[in-house]
Amino acid sequence: MGILEKIAEIEREIARTQKNKATEYHLGLLKAKLAKYRAQLLEPSKSSGAKGEGFDVMKSGDARVALIGFPSVGKSTFLSLMTATESEAASYEFTTLTCIPGVIEYKGANIQLLDLPGIIEGAAQGKGRGRQVIAVARTADVVIMMLDATKGDVQRELLEKELESVGIRLNRCKPNIYFKPKKGGGLSFNSTVPLTQCSEKLVQLILHEYKIFNAEVLFREDCTPDEFIDVLVGNRVYMPCLYVYNKVDQISIEEVDRLARQPNSVVISCGMKLNLDYLLEQLWEYLSLICLYTKKRGGNEHEVQPAASRTDTHHGTRGLGQR
């Protein structure tokens, strides 16, 4: 049985298992095995590929933004509108077959925008060059998830599932769990808060699944088994994400209002160039960029030199909960 078949079998087992106190240990073990198999699936192939197969581009500017979404949602049109780069746009799917970079100049900062090929369901398993697209997305500071407003929330749920399965956590902070393997002494387990979702026995079973028998674990918040597995694996990426609903000129005003009120969401229309300025303001806020202005030596602190501005990037998802 291959890795894909094992993953599918575990997912079916998790789906048909009732979630209660009696099955929490069984579910915890299944999730640990699932994370192991998914990590194996994402490991690069040992055989060297032909030259020129990759499509990642050199990181430049003050920040990097990855533009992901299903085919024909308006990513290439958005790139052409926001940057000086022309990306081919057409009415058929998979118009973009490689990574096309552009630069957004905003408030003195150069923001690199990457137009990635459209991904399809099953991208995490490599369908439609999905692994390459997701690998580039992991290097970004912010993800813009471009969605078709005429298709409701279906695309958003599918894309979140694909990114979740490869270790990209959107609009979430890293779990506050201290974990350190040891050479001996068994498991040292402590918590500074009451735990309602994870117990010492479950943590021990998950560690044994990864062949870890000596470790120090400290829970500083009430975390789930999935969050503990994320800390244990250690290759998860936590990044802010803007859900951008395009083609809002084709739906009712009530539906536009519903989409606009969802957390971390912006509604736009690339065809009619609607709400693009507000999207730039939100993107600036999510990137946590700060403009620093210099002044002449000995001069008034209010006499700044705007031409000598520079930006600084603060990584993380700080402040997302306040939006």
Side-chain angles (χ1 to χ4, degrees), residues 3-70:
I3 295 179
L4 288 176
E5 290 78 10
K6 291 178 180 178
I7 289 175
E9 180 63 30
I10 293 175
E11 287 177 340
R12 286 194 293 269
E13 178 70 17
I14 291 175
R16 63 172 175 255
T17 302
Q18 292 185 353
K19 295 176 177 61
N20 53 49
K21 211 56 171 165
T23 61
E24 63 178 7
Y25 299 119
H26 179 60
L27 285 172
L29 279 176
L30 289 176
K31 290 175 180 178
K33 289 180 180 178
L34 186 61
K36 268 178 61 177
Y37 288 135
R38 282 176 173 167
Q40 292 176 19
L41 192 66
L42 293 174
E43 289 176 358
S45 176
K46 293 182 180 179
S47 59
S48 58
K51 291 183 179 180
E53 285 190 353
F55 58 63
D56 192 12
V57 296
M58 183 180 296
K59 194 168 184 177
S60 64
D62 303 293
R64 169 179 276 196
V65 177
L67 193 59
I68 67 169
F70 283 100

XYZ file of all heavy atoms in Angstrom, residues 3-70:
526
model
N 1.782 5.524 0.038
C 1.527 6.565 1.030
C 0.157 7.201 0.826
O -0.577 7.456 1.784
C 2.641 7.632 0.979
C 3.979 7.023 1.397
C 2.308 8.800 1.899
C 5.136 7.988 1.356
N -0.216 7.463 -0.434
C -1.520 8.081 -0.712
C -2.662 7.201 -0.215
O -3.650 7.704 0.335
C -1.666 8.344 -2.210
C -0.825 9.477 -2.794
C -0.997 9.551 -4.299
C -1.217 10.808 -2.160
N -2.532 5.879 -0.430
C -3.581 4.962 0.037
C -3.641 4.930 1.560
O -4.728 4.880 2.152
C -3.330 3.546 -0.509
C -3.553 3.384 -1.997
C -2.402 3.915 -2.826
O -1.337 4.249 -2.242
O -2.559 4.015 -4.065
N -2.471 4.977 2.214
C -2.447 4.988 3.683
C -3.101 6.263 4.231
O -3.850 6.223 5.207
C -1.006 4.880 4.190
C -0.364 3.526 3.930
C 1.078 3.503 4.423
C 1.725 2.149 4.160
N 3.154 2.122 4.586
N -2.801 7.412 3.583
C -3.404 8.675 4.015
C -4.913 8.632 3.859
O -5.656 9.032 4.767
C -2.797 9.846 3.209
C -1.352 10.094 3.626
C -3.613 11.123 3.409
C -0.637 11.142 2.808
N -5.381 8.136 2.716
C -6.826 8.045 2.472
C -7.496 7.126 3.481
O -8.607 7.416 3.974
C -7.085 7.557 1.049
N -6.843 6.014 3.819
C -7.414 5.063 4.776
C -7.529 5.687 6.171
O -8.551 5.533 6.858
C -6.533 3.814 4.830
C -7.020 2.744 5.794
C -8.381 2.178 5.420
O -8.708 2.139 4.215
O -9.126 1.796 6.350
N -6.487 6.417 6.596
C -6.527 7.065 7.918
C -7.587 8.156 7.944
O -8.306 8.310 8.936
C -5.138 7.635 8.267
C -4.135 6.494 8.474
C -5.210 8.492 9.531
C -2.709 6.961 8.709
N -7.708 8.932 6.861
C -8.732 9.980 6.799
C -10.135 9.387 6.897
O -11.014 9.953 7.554
C -8.576 10.787 5.514
C -7.366 11.716 5.528
C -7.185 12.449 4.219
O -7.731 11.979 3.188
O -6.500 13.498 4.211
N -10.355 8.243 6.241
C -11.665 7.571 6.346
C -11.909 7.076 7.767
O -13.024 7.171 8.289
C -11.741 6.412 5.352
C -11.907 6.846 3.900
C -12.307 5.668 3.025
N -11.240 4.681 2.935
C -10.296 4.673 1.997
N -10.291 5.636 1.066
N -9.372 3.734 1.977
N -10.866 6.542 8.407
C -10.996 6.054 9.784
C -11.336 7.191 10.743
O -12.191 7.049 11.629
C -9.689 5.371 10.199
C -9.662 4.865 11.631
C -10.583 3.676 11.854
O -10.994 3.039 10.869
O -10.902 3.410 13.030
N -10.683 8.362 10.559
C -10.973 9.525 11.406
C -12.396 10.006 11.185
O -13.109 10.367 12.134
C -9.962 10.654 11.112
C -8.563 10.254 11.597
C -10.389 11.957 11.794
C -7.477 11.258 11.253
N -12.852 10.006 9.931
C -14.195 10.497 9.612
C -15.285 9.630 10.220
O -16.331 10.140 10.639
C -14.371 10.575 8.093
N -15.059 8.309 10.273
C -16.122 7.432 10.788
C -16.011 7.153 12.287
O -16.864 6.460 12.847
C -16.139 6.120 10.004
C -14.888 5.279 10.125
C -15.092 3.913 9.468
N -13.868 3.135 9.458
C -13.118 2.941 8.379
N -13.458 3.481 7.226
N -12.013 2.222 8.451
N -14.989 7.682 12.938
C -14.835 7.484 14.381
C -15.547 8.599 15.140
O -15.325 9.777 14.881
C -13.341 7.479 14.765
O -12.663 6.453 14.045
C -13.177 7.231 16.257
N -16.409 8.219 16.061
C -17.108 9.216 16.875
C -16.116 9.883 17.830
O -15.224 9.238 18.364
C -18.237 8.557 17.673
C -19.378 8.048 16.818
C -20.521 7.507 17.666
O -20.407 7.395 18.883
N -21.631 7.181 17.017
N -16.323 11.174 18.006
C -15.419 11.938 18.876
C -16.000 12.016 20.284
O -16.992 12.694 20.527
C -15.204 13.342 18.307
C -14.491 13.354 16.961
C -14.395 14.751 16.400
C -13.613 14.757 15.098
N -14.251 13.935 14.046
N -15.407 11.295 21.209
C -15.812 11.339 22.611
C -14.614 10.976 23.486
O -13.507 10.763 22.992
C -17.001 10.390 22.877
C -16.728 8.978 22.383
O -15.682 8.405 22.666
N -17.681 8.418 21.623
N -14.850 10.903 24.792
C -13.757 10.665 25.735
C -13.100 9.307 25.497
O -11.888 9.159 25.664
C -14.348 10.715 27.151
C -13.441 11.220 28.248
C -12.874 12.570 28.023
C -12.159 13.049 29.288
N -11.298 14.202 28.998
N -13.898 8.310 25.086
C -13.364 6.958 24.918
C -12.493 6.819 23.678
O -11.645 5.923 23.613
C -14.520 5.959 24.840
N -12.685 7.679 22.679
C -11.941 7.540 21.419
C -10.842 8.591 21.246
O -10.198 8.616 20.203
C -12.909 7.650 20.219
O -13.541 8.947 20.239
C -13.973 6.570 20.271
N -10.619 9.452 22.245
C -9.656 10.543 22.058
C -8.236 10.031 21.854
O -7.465 10.604 21.078
C -9.711 11.512 23.237
C -9.334 10.931 24.569
C -9.361 11.971 25.689
O -9.796 13.110 25.447
O -8.929 11.626 26.806
N -7.868 8.909 22.535
C -6.511 8.380 22.363
C -6.344 7.758 20.973
O -5.310 7.922 20.322
C -6.208 7.339 23.449
C -6.269 7.895 24.841
C -7.171 7.420 25.771
C -5.419 8.934 25.228
C -7.238 7.946 27.053
C -5.473 9.468 26.504
C -6.384 8.966 27.412
O -6.444 9.499 28.673
N -7.390 7.054 20.530
C -7.347 6.451 19.190
C -7.239 7.523 18.113
O -6.433 7.404 17.181
C -8.608 5.602 18.977
C -8.687 4.963 17.621
N -7.736 4.082 17.161
C -9.594 5.099 16.616
C -8.052 3.684 15.937
N -9.169 4.297 15.580
N -8.019 8.593 18.251
C -7.971 9.687 17.276
C -6.623 10.401 17.308
O -6.095 10.801 16.267
C -9.098 10.686 17.552
C -10.513 10.248 17.147
C -11.541 11.253 17.647
C -10.618 10.113 15.636
N -6.060 10.560 18.498
C -4.753 11.205 18.611
C -3.671 10.425 17.881
O -2.825 11.008 17.187
N -3.696 9.091 18.020
C -2.725 8.255 17.317
C -2.914 8.327 15.812
O -1.945 8.385 15.045
C -2.856 6.800 17.780
C -2.164 6.438 19.097
C -2.450 4.999 19.475
C -0.660 6.642 18.973
N -4.175 8.319 15.365
C -4.457 8.418 13.932
C -3.941 9.735 13.356
O -3.362 9.767 12.262
C -5.971 8.284 13.678
C -6.588 6.903 13.889
C -8.096 6.966 13.705
C -5.987 5.882 12.926
N -4.135 10.829 14.090
C -3.673 12.136 13.611
C -2.154 12.196 13.566
O -1.571 12.827 12.667
C -4.230 13.239 14.507
C -5.738 13.439 14.349
C -6.292 14.453 15.336
C -7.792 14.630 15.149
N -8.370 15.582 16.137
N -1.496 11.547 14.528
C -0.031 11.513 14.521
C 0.484 10.738 13.308
O 1.434 11.154 12.638
C 0.483 10.887 15.813
N -0.154 9.598 13.010
C 0.243 8.813 11.832
C -0.015 9.595 10.547
O 0.803 9.568 9.620
C -0.533 7.496 11.801
C -0.128 6.503 12.875
C -0.948 5.227 12.772
C -0.533 4.227 13.847
N -1.338 2.987 13.796
N -1.149 10.302 10.505
C -1.485 11.087 9.319
C -0.439 12.175 9.067
O -0.011 12.401 7.926
C -2.870 11.707 9.501
C -3.470 12.453 8.307
C -3.649 11.515 7.129
C -4.807 13.083 8.685
N -0.007 12.857 10.129
C 1.015 13.899 9.992
C 2.335 13.302 9.501
O 3.042 13.906 8.691
C 1.218 14.615 11.327
N 2.670 12.089 9.960
C 3.905 11.425 9.526
C 3.879 11.107 8.039
O 4.819 11.383 7.300
C 4.110 10.132 10.326
C 4.954 10.299 11.571
C 5.079 9.005 12.327
C 5.746 7.919 11.506
N 5.922 6.672 12.283
N 2.765 10.544 7.587
C 2.658 10.175 6.171
C 2.638 11.413 5.272
O 3.214 11.404 4.183
C 1.405 9.332 5.941
C 1.504 7.924 6.487
C 0.465 7.360 7.198
C 2.658 7.159 6.282
C 0.555 6.067 7.701
C 2.762 5.871 6.791
C 1.706 5.333 7.494
O 1.808 4.064 7.982
N 1.975 12.464 5.713
C 1.947 13.688 4.907
C 3.335 14.311 4.805
O 3.704 14.875 3.770
C 0.963 14.687 5.508
C -0.495 14.357 5.180
C -1.451 15.300 5.858
N -2.826 15.085 5.406
C -3.890 15.597 6.007
N -3.742 16.356 7.081
N -5.098 15.366 5.527
N 4.108 14.227 5.892
C 5.471 14.742 5.852
C 6.324 13.942 4.872
O 7.142 14.500 4.135
C 6.084 14.705 7.254
N 6.129 12.617 4.826
C 6.862 11.781 3.872
C 6.472 12.121 2.442
O 7.308 12.107 1.533
C 6.576 10.302 4.146
C 7.136 9.789 5.451
C 6.735 8.347 5.712
O 6.347 7.622 4.797
N 6.788 7.930 6.971
N 5.210 12.441 2.241
C 4.722 12.756 0.903
C 5.349 14.030 0.356
O 5.574 14.172 -0.844
C 3.198 12.904 0.939
C 2.464 12.958 -0.399
C 2.592 11.640 -1.133
C 1.004 13.297 -0.184
N 5.653 14.972 1.251
C 6.197 16.256 0.831
C 7.713 16.262 0.714
O 8.289 17.255 0.277
C 5.767 17.354 1.814
C 4.273 17.665 1.834
C 3.964 18.642 2.940
C 3.823 18.206 0.491
N 8.363 15.168 1.111
C 9.817 15.106 0.996
C 10.214 15.115 -0.476
O 9.587 14.446 -1.298
C 10.359 13.841 1.670
C 10.272 13.887 3.186
C 10.727 12.586 3.817
O 11.072 11.654 3.040
O 10.731 12.486 5.045
N 11.252 15.885 -0.832
C 11.671 15.936 -2.231
C 12.153 14.593 -2.733
O 12.705 13.794 -1.984
C 12.811 16.970 -2.230
C 13.293 16.998 -0.816
C 12.102 16.690 0.049
N 11.925 14.357 -3.995
C 12.349 13.100 -4.606
C 13.873 13.019 -4.650
O 14.562 13.997 -4.894
C 11.775 12.996 -6.025
O 12.250 11.830 -6.647
N 14.399 11.804 -4.424
C 15.853 11.627 -4.425
C 16.427 11.713 -5.838
O 17.569 12.086 -6.031
C 16.204 10.269 -3.803
C 15.887 10.190 -2.323
C 16.295 8.855 -1.744
C 15.968 8.775 -0.262
N 16.326 7.468 0.315
N 15.615 11.347 -6.840
C 16.107 11.423 -8.214
C 16.132 12.864 -8.675
O 15.175 13.605 -8.500
C 15.197 10.605 -9.133
O 13.880 11.086 -9.081
N 17.243 13.290 -9.247
C 17.382 14.674 -9.682
C 16.565 14.899 -10.936
O 16.640 14.127 -11.892
C 18.848 15.003 -9.945
O 19.371 14.123 -10.914
N 15.775 15.956 -10.943
C 14.942 16.272 -12.093
C 15.733 17.012 -13.153
O 16.883 17.394 -12.971
N 15.082 17.188 -14.293
C 15.734 17.903 -15.382
C 15.896 19.366 -15.026
O 15.136 19.921 -14.241
C 14.901 17.751 -16.658
N 16.897 20.005 -15.628
C 17.151 21.407 -15.337
C 15.987 22.265 -15.822
O 15.411 22.019 -16.870
C 18.441 21.862 -16.006
C 19.689 21.230 -15.387
C 20.936 21.763 -16.049
C 22.182 21.153 -15.401
N 23.416 21.655 -16.042
N 15.684 23.300 -15.012
C 14.643 24.243 -15.428
C 13.237 23.849 -15.033
O 12.284 24.466 -15.476
N 13.073 22.795 -14.165
C 11.732 22.368 -13.790
C 11.117 23.256 -12.723
O 9.922 23.421 -12.667
C 11.765 20.913 -13.304
C 11.908 19.905 -14.439
C 11.693 18.496 -13.947
O 11.569 18.314 -12.715
O 11.661 17.575 -14.766
N 11.924 23.796 -11.804
C 11.379 24.633 -10.746
C 10.948 25.992 -11.261
O 11.392 26.449 -12.302
N 10.046 26.656 -10.521
C 9.637 27.979 -10.977
C 9.625 29.004 -9.869
O 8.962 30.027 -9.979
C 8.276 27.935 -11.691
C 7.131 27.401 -10.882
C 6.700 28.046 -9.727
C 6.449 26.286 -11.296
C 5.630 27.586 -9.002
C 5.367 25.807 -10.571
C 4.952 26.444 -9.434
N 10.345 28.763 -8.782
C 10.467 29.785 -7.744
C 11.364 30.915 -8.249
O 12.246 30.710 -9.075
C 11.061 29.171 -6.478
C 10.937 30.102 -5.286
O 10.204 31.098 -5.413
O 11.569 29.829 -4.260
N 11.122 32.123 -7.762
C 11.921 33.280 -8.172
C 12.637 33.836 -6.948
O 12.227 33.610 -5.812
C 11.034 34.374 -8.815
C 10.399 33.867 -10.083
C 9.964 34.855 -7.841
N 13.709 34.573 -7.199
C 14.503 35.137 -6.104
C 13.677 36.141 -5.308
O 12.955 36.961 -5.886
C 15.760 35.815 -6.662
C 16.676 36.369 -5.588
S 18.137 37.165 -6.270
C 18.936 35.761 -7.045
N 13.770 36.067 -3.995
C 13.027 36.982 -3.143
C 13.656 38.366 -3.210
O 14.871 38.521 -3.082
C 13.036 36.463 -1.702
C 12.028 37.137 -0.791
C 11.891 36.388 0.516
C 10.808 36.993 1.393
N 10.601 36.238 2.637
N 12.844 39.379 -3.435
C 13.345 40.743 -3.538
C 12.341 41.697 -2.904
O 11.209 41.317 -2.594
C 13.583 41.118 -5.005
O 12.368 41.121 -5.725
N 12.754 42.956 -2.739
C 11.866 43.943 -2.153
C 11.801 43.844 -0.641
O 12.616 43.189 0.008
N 10.791 44.481 -0.076
C 10.643 44.540 1.383
C 9.753 43.440 1.940
O 9.773 43.170 3.133
C 10.071 45.907 1.773
C 10.943 47.049 1.266
O 12.075 47.173 1.752
O 10.501 47.798 0.377
N 8.956 42.809 1.103
C 8.073 41.736 1.545
C 7.635 40.934 0.324
O 7.727 41.409 -0.809
C 6.852 42.293 2.283
N 7.198 39.717 0.571
C 6.725 38.856 -0.516
C 5.285 38.433 -0.248
O 4.952 38.006 0.864
C 7.626 37.625 -0.645
C 7.073 36.552 -1.563
C 7.997 35.352 -1.690
N 9.029 35.587 -2.694
C 9.773 34.603 -3.223
N 9.601 33.362 -2.840
N 10.686 34.884 -4.124
N 4.454 38.538 -1.266
C 3.045 38.153 -1.183
C 2.767 37.099 -2.243
O 3.086 37.302 -3.424
C 2.116 39.367 -1.385
C 0.655 38.932 -1.371
C 2.367 40.420 -0.313
N 2.199 35.969 -1.830
C 1.862 34.893 -2.765
C 0.379 34.966 -3.106
O -0.473 35.077 -2.225
C 2.196 33.539 -2.158
N 0.093 34.895 -4.389
C -1.280 34.972 -4.893
C -1.699 33.573 -5.322
O -1.219 33.057 -6.331
C -1.317 35.946 -6.069
C -2.659 36.444 -6.601
C -3.451 37.151 -5.516
C -2.430 37.372 -7.776
N -2.568 32.942 -4.529
C -2.980 31.580 -4.849
C -4.486 31.524 -5.047
O -5.224 32.393 -4.580
C -2.547 30.573 -3.760
C -3.314 30.834 -2.451
C -1.060 30.604 -3.527
C -3.137 29.731 -1.434
N -4.929 30.495 -5.719
C -6.351 30.328 -5.958
C -6.575 29.302 -7.044
O -5.636 28.795 -7.666
N -7.828 28.972 -7.288
C -8.177 28.036 -8.342
C -8.004 28.712 -9.703
O -7.892 29.940 -9.791
C -9.616 27.556 -8.163
C -9.766 26.523 -7.076
C -10.228 26.878 -5.819
C -9.431 25.205 -7.310
C -10.351 25.935 -4.820
C -9.553 24.246 -6.317
C -10.012 24.612 -5.069
